[in-house]
């Protein structure tokens, strides 16, 4: 809609915002009318109309099988559009149009903002299945007529109130019609069922909806007065009411077709099961985070015990082996600590990589600088845990073997992502040092070093990637990892 309005019309940005507000609400008008809606806006030169938005009803058959958005129509071809735009009033046609052997009733509703008509809504009703209307359908149509008059007067949608139609109740969820005093004149079967879930034993018709709703909800002191006002439909508001083990969502829409409030529409939706599942998910997420927190604590306890044991060792080789085990356990603990702070099983690995680099750098025998380039991005826990161990082993190997005691140098970790989607995304990691380099005849695929065995097992077996270690130019060693950024099924 933005592109069409800016390309073809003279409407301002504030006018465009008003149209967006209208389009966010007009599913309500479409469902109440059992009709398709098409928004036509006059072009810059005034000789044509361009259709910038379209809505089909959820409550009845469509009149348009094709998408109308972007169509241009010369002025004069559709007289009802011209009359509604020029005269600023709702225009109805006596005889229906016939479209592909389907009778269609056509109406035009001017869209007004601050006294100016911005465009026209064409309301098209498929009459093929018309029958004697029920009480529900008559209430829908009367409510649609009231809303159409409010749109023509510039009183609907309500300024400053953006509605999320995916989360708000819809017409089919439950509809209650109130008079000017807040008394129920009609309640749809779904609306009545929703109030029965709250504990209502009687019928809703004839009752003051505000008082009835407040009686069904648990006492909340001063908030009850606000609930009474909202359920009575005095202002356009949304809320949720909980009682008797049920939860219903309410949305009040005051009706002022001629500037004076004649009543209200209250849309209601039973969200009891939805809220129950949300609470279960919240509880599950909290439990998972607590598990990660406890695993992290247990791993830190294991690391502390290994560290104590290492201090009691007389053999330097045994002491160093335990210190390496401490760092391996620590790298896994870092991942679980990060997961304990997240709402899902995915982590920002750049922070983990920086902490692993800092942890391993503590063992540097000289003035070796470790730094990271590029971004790892967000990774699943199934990838992050083995990858943190792999990174620990590679860095540990570089700092222990590439530099002699007291020698300075650099170790650089580079990361980049490739692929357009999560499924085909890959992670290329390069670790380069400027140390002494590999000995002659060294084969990383056959080396018996425990650290390299761990790297090969995790990269090729668990991550499903590749691992290589070669000489770097002009000196040093380059380790290249190519692994999928998502878990392999």
């Amino acid at each position: 809609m933005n592109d069409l309005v800016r390309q073809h019309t003279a409407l301002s940005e504030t006018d465009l915002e008003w149209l967006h507000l209208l389009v966010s609400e007009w599913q309500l008008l479409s469902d109440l009318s059992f009709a398709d809606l098409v928004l036509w806006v006059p072009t810059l030169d005034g000789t044509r109309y361009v259709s910038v938005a379209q809505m089909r009803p959820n409550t009845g058959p469509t009149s348009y099988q094709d998408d109308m958005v972007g169509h241009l129509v010369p002025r004069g071809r559709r007289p009802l559009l011209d009359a509604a735009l020029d005269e600023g009033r709702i225009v109805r046609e006596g005889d229906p149009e016939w479209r592909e052997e389907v009778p269609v009733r056509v109406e035009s509703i001017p869209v007004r903002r601050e006294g100016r008509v911005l465009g026209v809504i064409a309301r098209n009703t498929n009459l093929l299945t018309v029958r004697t209307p029920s009480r529900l359908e008559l209430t829908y149509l009367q409510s649609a007529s009231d809303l159409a008059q409010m749109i023509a007067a510039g009183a609907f949608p309500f300024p400053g109130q953006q509605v999320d139609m995916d989360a708000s109740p819809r017409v089919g969820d439950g509809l209650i019609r109130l008079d000017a005093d807040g008394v129920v004149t009609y309640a749809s079967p779904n609306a009545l069922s929703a109030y029965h879930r709250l504990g209502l034993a009687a019928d809703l018709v004839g009752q003051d909806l505000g008082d009835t709703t407040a009686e069904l909800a648990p006492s909340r002191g001063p908030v009850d007065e606000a609930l009474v006002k909202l359920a009575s439909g005095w202002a356009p508001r949304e809320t949720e009411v909980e009682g008797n083990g049920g939860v219903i969502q309410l949305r009040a829409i005051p009706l002022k077709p001629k500037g004076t409030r004649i009543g209200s529409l209250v849309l209601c939706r039973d969200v009891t099961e939805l809220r129950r599942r949300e609470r279960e998910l919240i509880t599950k997420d909290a439990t998972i985070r607590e598990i990660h927190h406890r695993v992290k604590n247990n791993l830190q306890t294991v690391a502390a015990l290994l560290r104590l044991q290492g201090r009691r060792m007389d053999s330097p080789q045994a002491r160093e082996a335990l210190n390496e085990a401490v760092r391996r356990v620590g790298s896994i603990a870092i991942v679980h600590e990060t997961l304990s702070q997240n709402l899902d099983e995915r982590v920002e690995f750049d922070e983990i990589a920086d902490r692993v680099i800092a942890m391993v750098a503590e063992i540097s025998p000289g003035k070796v600088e470790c730094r990271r380039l590029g971004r790892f991005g967000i990774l699943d826990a199934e990838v992050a845990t083995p990858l943190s161990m792999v990174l620990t082993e590679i860095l540990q190997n570089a700092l222990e073997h590439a530099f002699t005691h007291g020698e300075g140098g650099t170790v650089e970790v580079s990361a980049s992502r490739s692929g357009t989607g999560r499924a085909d995304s890959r992670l290329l990691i390069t670790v380069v040092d400027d140390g002494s380099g590999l000995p002659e005849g060294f084969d990383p695929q056959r080396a018996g070093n425990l650290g390299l065995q761990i790297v090969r097992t995790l990269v090729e077996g668990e991550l499903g990637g590749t691992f290589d270690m070669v000489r770097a130019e002009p000196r040093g060693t380059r380790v290249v990892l190519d692994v999928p950024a998502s878990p392999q099924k």
Side-chain angles (χ1 to χ4, degrees), residues 248-426:
I248 66 171
Q249 190 178 16
L250 298 179
R251 183 190 175 197
I253 303 167
L255 297 176
K256 303 177 182 179
K258 297 180 180 179
T260 303
R261 181 175 171 275
I262 64 167
S264 306
L265 284 181
V266 177
L267 304 181
C268 57
R269 178 186 179 196
D270 185 351
V271 293
T272 305
E273 292 304 312
L274 180 63
R275 296 296 175 258
R276 182 185 63 81
R277 288 196 297 268
E278 287 178 352
R279 291 183 184 120
E280 287 179 353
L281 287 174
I282 291 172
T283 302
K284 179 182 177 182
D285 288 341
T287 302
I288 291 173
R289 289 199 299 273
E290 178 63 21
I291 290 171
H292 284 303
H293 182 71
R294 294 188 180 187
V295 170
K296 182 262 297 184
N297 288 344
N298 289 339
L299 289 172
Q300 289 180 337
T301 301
V302 171
L305 292 173
L306 292 173
R307 199 174 293 113
L308 286 172
Q309 187 67 40
R311 290 172 185 161
R312 296 174 176 269
M313 290 291 180
D314 296 328
S315 168
Q317 292 85 356
R319 190 181 302 115
E320 182 55 33
L322 287 176
N323 287 337
E324 288 183 3
V326 167
R327 286 188 286 273
R328 288 165 184 150
V329 172
S331 66
I332 303 174
I334 291 172
V335 176
H336 283 282
E337 181 180 3
T338 306
L339 287 169
S340 70
Q341 301 166 0
N342 289 354
L343 294 177
D344 55 18
E345 290 291 288
R346 307 190 75 203
V347 295
E348 177 63 65
F349 196 79
D350 294 318
E351 178 186 349
I352 293 175
D354 291 340
R355 293 180 62 180
V356 167
I357 290 171
M359 177 183 69
V360 178
E362 294 177 358
I363 69 167
S364 173
K367 298 179 180 179
V368 178
E369 179 188 1
C370 297
R371 57 174 178 260
R372 172 177 62 86
L373 300 177
R375 295 191 71 249
F376 289 85
I378 297 176
L379 300 177
D380 292 277
E382 296 95 320
V383 175
T385 301
L387 188 58
S388 67
M389 288 193 65
V390 168
L391 192 59
T392 300
E393 296 299 332
I394 293 173
L395 290 171
Q396 193 167 271
N397 189 71
L399 292 174
E400 287 183 354
H401 303 293
F403 306 98
T404 58
H405 187 73
E407 182 183 9
T410 60
V411 177
E412 198 170 83
V413 180
S414 303
S416 62
R417 298 281 285 262
S418 63
T420 56
R422 184 175 172 184
D424 63 349
S425 179
R426 296 192 69 84

Side-chain angles (χ1 to χ4, degrees), residues 198-213:
L198 287 182
L200 179 70
D203 193 1
L204 270 175
V205 175
Q207 301 212 35
D208 185 297
L209 187 65
D211 293 339
T212 301
T213 304

Side-chain angles (χ1 to χ4, degrees), residues 37-114:
L37 306 178
V38 180
L39 178 57
W40 297 92
V41 180
T43 57
L44 184 61
D45 58 9
T47 62
R48 296 180 295 175
Y49 298 96
V50 58
S51 58
V52 298
Q54 179 179 1
M55 178 57 67
R56 293 184 173 89
N58 293 318
T59 51
T62 183
S63 303
Y64 288 110
Q65 298 299 328
D66 299 326
D67 189 1
M68 295 296 296
V69 175
H71 283 212
L72 289 164
V73 173
R75 184 178 171 87
R77 180 174 294 179
R78 299 193 178 182
L80 269 67
L81 294 182
D82 298 339
L85 183 69
D86 297 338
E87 301 172 23
R89 64 180 180 86
I90 298 175
V91 182
R92 295 182 175 88
E93 189 174 47
D95 297 327
E97 292 183 3
W98 286 84
R99 299 175 186 168
E100 299 179 356
E101 300 184 355
V102 175
V104 177
R105 182 173 63 239
V106 181
E107 300 170 87
S108 293
I109 305 166
V111 177
R112 191 184 304 273
R113 174 182 175 268
E114 296 181 352

